Amino acid sequence: MDVSHILDKLNDDQRNAVTSEKQHLLVLAGAGSGKTRVLVHKIAWQVEAIGINPSAIMAVTFTNKAANEMRSRIESLLKAPMLDSWVGTFHGLSHKLLKRFHNEAGLSSGFTIIDSDDQLRIIKRISKEIGLDEATWPARQSQWQINNWKDDGLRSKNIKVDGDFYTETVNKIYKEYEDISQRDHLVDFGELLLKSYETLINSKAVKTFFQTRFKSVLIDEFQDTNTIQYKWLQKIASDKSYVTAVGDDDQSIYGWRGAKVEHVNSFSEDFKNTEVVRLEQNYRSTNVILNAANALIGNNKERLGKNLWTEKIDGEQIILYQAYNEQDEARFIADILNDWMNKGGAYSEAAVLYRSNAQSRAIEEALLRVSIPYRIYGGLRFYERLEIKNAIAYLKIIFNNNDNPSFERSISNPTRGVGEKTLAKIRNTAKKYNISYIKASAKLLDEGSISGRGGSGLKDYLEFVAGCNTFIQENLLSELMELIIKETGLYAYHAKEPGEKGKTRTENLEELITATKNFEQSVTDKKSNEEIAENYLDIISLDSGDRQASEHDDAAQLMTMHSAKGLEFKLVLLTGLEESLFPHGRSMESVSQLEEERRLCYVAITRAMEKLYITHAESRRLHGTDTFNPPSRFLREIPKDLIDEIRPRAQTNIPYNRKDFEETKNEFEEEIGISLGQKVHHKKFGEGIVLNYEGSSDSARVQVNFDNYGTKWLVMAYANLKKL
């Protein structure tokens, strides 16, 4: 059989990966190097050249879209349908396993898959039944913890409580949740993987079926696997199976949701006789962009290493713009997008990337002012976000007591004991007497018709609204907004949401304070505080009417750097490169988190095909506070000759360019005898790693991340650090 057509359009490294005769293969596929092409051609090669039956091949990826694309491309290459194929997501294939072997899994044939909302309702019911207060023990936090345990392959019986009251309490919920799920044959998304993994371990028949049937197992985006997914993969494959893992350790950016980049490093140990093939030829970006990305990621220590290159032209230098503040930065972005369009480009070919969702607010306002269509990729516009709508609802009801929808939203967020029965009573009274919900509430309280926790919560709410009417007479709009966010419990309410969601929501609420401060400063004519607040509400209401562009419109793409993974654009504007913003302040105390931030920057840079702009600001009002952070360390890790700084800037203590940085760095290291990344020992704090430095001579300081004490800044003259 002629199989040359499978290899025709592959480069040498891609061809080596596809035709490798090694039992186990790790393909380190750099950004834009054609990893999906290699994976589907590898499957076609195994079918046509080696003779493996398509039904004996399992291919695993992370999204249904990726799985469907993979299946379609394989069928196109083979010119035949993939019958009885096991090409799908982890969750999809686990579901298929459990359906086929439900008896061995201890499930009924008609077991029910429940979504996140159903799972949350059960956890809320359990929490209530065991007497837990929702305010102290938010169900979403318990749900997040239970799902994390499942992702780590842990049942309630495996959790080590060790006298920790929080762990003990949530584990009690977990145990009850397990009992209900088992009794009612309910399976959540985390359970799909955990239950199928346990079935593979506990049933010899199931394990034999899979290890006998599947001659080849392939996994895409391998760097994104969590603990249970990797264990599952190891149990599916037999000692005789071909196992191919395709991924990029330099693009592992989901550690915060359980992904383990260590799996890439340990693959060769866990699967013996592994061949490693590096895909380094990039088909996306110019040489300038790739050289910048290579230089940046080279500063990460824990990586297997590769160097991207291209046959494309060198391309234009990276443009670096230092803005005065976030508004100047946003205006610059709008100007660049306009210029791109005027020169024949399409808005849809351009993307604006930011580290934090809250950064989009200033950019959105600038684009709206000059009528540039935009779309928030994978997200909502600033004033459409849940937490922002909750806060604005308070502002609306304060200035318009007749705004019944805002009353209902604000009285319920956060919850204050005013349930659906109480709301129904308020609605009926309002309708009966043709009055607002606020007046109906006051009437019912006066009559004693609402009492208990609901009555107390309602009374406090009405007093707060009335107090705010007085407060705004003597205080600014921004001060009122801060009062609303903090005093209503709204900030604490959203902060309790687990993981990144809670952090993002609170950052957005802080950014809302910034938005009101900026609006105050933009008012030129003399107005009272109440008039300014009412004007602000008018403007954001009109803004809400300007919907973001639809999916099919030509529109600039705005997105977080995390959302940009897997995408590419001719023009990329990478914004907000300042210390504490990017790299994010939360990453500063951990070497591993700092390296993940650098990988995120690498991903962001390699989204650009032709033109890359990078911006940072001298000052930035973000999350309600003015900050004056120095340029990001990532800027000084990019070679100077690749950057064209289009605006002179004031001198700072931290040079951005690589040459100046290296000179300063070498002088510092020569003076103190310790380098960045050096392991050191301190008499009191023990072992740690040097993360940063500043100053010189007697005032020289180093930032050290200690294993047991976290991050400390130490004066070198007194620290007595010993190199290890």
Side-chain angles (χ1 to χ4, degrees), residues 46-323:
Q46 289 181 334
V47 172
E48 295 201 348
I50 299 177
I52 299 177
N53 192 303
S55 65
I57 295 175
M58 177 183 283
V60 195
T61 188
F62 281 82
T63 67
N64 288 317
K65 181 181 177 183
N68 291 335
E69 181 188 353
M70 192 187 301
R71 188 183 296 107
S72 174
R73 290 172 67 171
I74 294 166
E75 290 176 342
S76 177
L77 271 175
L78 295 177
K79 296 181 172 58
M82 290 280 286
L83 301 175
D84 192 23
S85 73
W86 285 68
V87 177
T89 64
F90 276 106
H91 291 102
L93 297 180
S94 292
H95 178 236
K96 196 169 181 177
L97 182 157
L98 293 177
K99 274 290 188 184
R100 189 162 191 159
F101 298 102
H102 60 87
N103 286 329
E104 290 81 354
L107 294 168
S108 70
S109 59
F111 68 84
T112 301
I113 296 178
I114 59 173
D115 62 18
S116 181
D117 289 341
D118 292 331
Q119 183 190 36
L120 183 63
R121 273 192 287 272
I122 296 170
I123 290 171
K124 280 183 175 178
R125 189 173 76 240
I126 295 168
S127 300
K128 188 175 182 180
E129 287 172 354
I130 63 177
L132 297 178
D133 177 44
E134 169 69 17
T136 309
W137 296 94
R140 285 194 184 277
Q141 182 69 33
S142 300
Q143 180 187 36
W144 176 79
Q145 182 61 73
I146 289 168
N147 288 336
N148 265 17
W149 282 334
K150 287 193 175 192
D151 286 346
D152 283 337
L154 300 173
R155 291 291 184 194
S156 61
K157 64 184 179 182
N158 307 129
I159 305 302
K160 293 181 180 178
V161 175
D162 294 332
D164 181 77
F165 183 62
Y166 168 80
T167 305
E168 181 181 2
T169 304
V170 178
N171 196 39
K172 191 183 295 183
I173 299 171
Y174 187 15
K175 174 66 171 68
E176 185 63 28
Y177 175 73
E178 283 179 324
D179 292 344
I180 291 171
S181 298
Q182 186 173 358
R183 183 192 70 207
D184 297 342
H185 299 276
L186 306 176
V187 178
D188 59 49
F189 291 116
E191 186 73 11
L192 282 169
L193 272 159
L194 182 52
K195 179 73 79 174
S196 62
Y197 170 68
E198 290 171 339
T199 306
L200 284 163
I201 290 177
N202 298 327
S203 171
K204 187 177 180 181
V206 175
K207 185 176 180 180
T208 300
F209 169 83
F210 280 94
Q211 294 193 346
T212 302
R213 170 167 177 167
F214 293 106
K215 310 299 182 188
S216 176
V217 179
L218 306 96
I219 179 167
D220 193 14
E221 301 288 5
F222 182 59
Q223 76 282 348
D224 293 336
T225 53
N226 63 25
T227 299
I228 192 65
Q229 289 164 343
Y230 190 38
K231 286 182 175 180
W232 185 92
L233 176 69
Q234 289 173 295
K235 290 300 175 187
I236 287 285
S238 74
D239 293 339
K240 296 179 180 178
S241 301
Y242 291 95
V243 179
T244 301
V246 181
D248 184 3
D249 55 336
D250 289 334
Q251 295 188 75
S252 179
I253 59 173
Y254 297 121
W256 48 274
R257 68 183 190 197
K260 308 276 188 184
V261 67
E262 306 88 71
H263 293 159
V264 178
N265 298 322
S266 64
F267 183 85
S268 297
E269 298 172 12
D270 297 331
F271 293 89
K272 302 301 180 186
N273 301 316
T274 292
E275 179 180 1
V276 178
V277 175
R278 289 171 170 80
L279 303 183
E280 298 175 305
Q281 184 174 358
N282 176 283
Y283 292 91
R284 175 187 300 153
S285 307
T286 65
N287 255 316
V288 165
I289 291 167
L290 295 182
N291 289 341
N294 288 331
L296 173 86
I297 202 65
N299 288 276
N300 273 5
K301 308 296 183 189
E302 300 297 325
R303 60 188 292 260
L304 294 176
K306 61 185 168 305
N307 202 59
L308 297 179
W309 61 277
T310 183
E311 291 180 343
K312 284 188 173 185
I313 59 172
D314 284 345
E316 298 179 49
Q317 284 182 297
I318 297 165
I319 302 296
L320 177 66
Y321 180 78
Q322 175 176 281

Side-chain angles (χ1 to χ4, degrees), residues 352-564:
V352 183
L353 310 184
Y354 36 80
R355 177 63 179 85
S356 167
N357 262 307
Q359 289 171 254
S360 79
R361 199 259 321 158
I363 299 168
E364 288 183 62
E365 289 181 357
L367 298 187
L368 284 169
R369 276 195 297 272
V370 293
S371 301
I372 292 179
Y374 71 90
R375 183 164 56 251
I376 304 288
Y377 182 87
L380 298 169
R381 290 174 56 179
F382 184 77
Y383 287 107
E384 292 172 351
R385 293 168 190 165
L386 173 70
E387 60 280 9
I388 301 303
K389 291 172 88 170
N390 287 343
I392 294 298
Y394 280 96
L395 200 60
K396 286 181 175 180
I397 196 66
I398 288 164
F399 290 98
N400 180 8
N401 286 176
N402 295 316
D403 187 341
N404 292 337
S406 292
F407 171 87
E408 288 209 46
R409 177 180 279 275
S410 56
I411 195 71
S412 303
N413 293 288
T415 53
R416 44 174 53 84
V418 180
E420 188 53 42
K421 286 183 180 179
T422 302
L423 281 173
K425 193 177 288 188
I426 292 169
R427 290 188 200 105
N428 290 335
T429 302
K431 185 177 181 181
K432 181 178 179 181
Y433 294 99
N434 194 27
I435 56 178
S436 70
Y437 287 2
I438 273 208
K439 287 183 178 177
S441 299
K443 178 177 175 60
L444 289 167
L445 285 173
D446 288 341
E447 294 171 351
S449 300
I450 299 176
S451 57
R453 183 165 176 252
S456 176
L458 189 57
K459 182 174 180 290
D460 290 345
Y461 172 85
L462 295 181
E463 288 177 351
F464 177 78
V465 171
C468 287
N469 275 301
T470 304
F471 182 87
I472 191 62
Q473 294 171 21
E474 301 293 333
N475 296 276
L476 298 172
L477 166 63
S478 57
E479 293 169 328
L480 174 61
M481 184 55 70
E482 187 167 6
L483 182 77
I484 289 169
I485 289 169
K486 301 295 168 63
E487 294 301 317
T488 61
L490 198 57
Y491 187 92
Y493 172 68
H494 286 301
K496 286 177 182 175
E497 294 189 57
E500 285 293 310
K501 184 179 285 186
K503 296 186 182 88
T504 298
R505 292 207 195 280
T506 53
E507 285 178 351
N508 284 336
L509 286 172
E510 290 164 346
E511 182 61 16
L512 184 56
I513 299 171
T514 294
T516 53
K517 282 182 180 177
N518 288 345
F519 184 78
E520 290 163 355
Q521 293 173 358
S522 71
V523 177
T524 53
D525 50 338
K526 193 170 183 179
K527 290 183 178 179
S528 68
N529 292 337
E530 296 99 313
E531 288 174 322
I532 291 172
E534 288 168 351
N535 286 353
Y536 175 72
L537 283 172
D538 289 341
I539 285 174
I540 64 172
S541 295
L542 291 171
D543 173 57
S544 298
D546 292 329
R547 297 183 179 274
Q548 59 178 313
S550 73
E551 188 178 347
H552 304 292
D553 291 341
D554 180 32
Q557 310 291 303
L558 273 59
M559 67 189 75
T560 64
M561 296 173 196
H562 282 99
S563 298

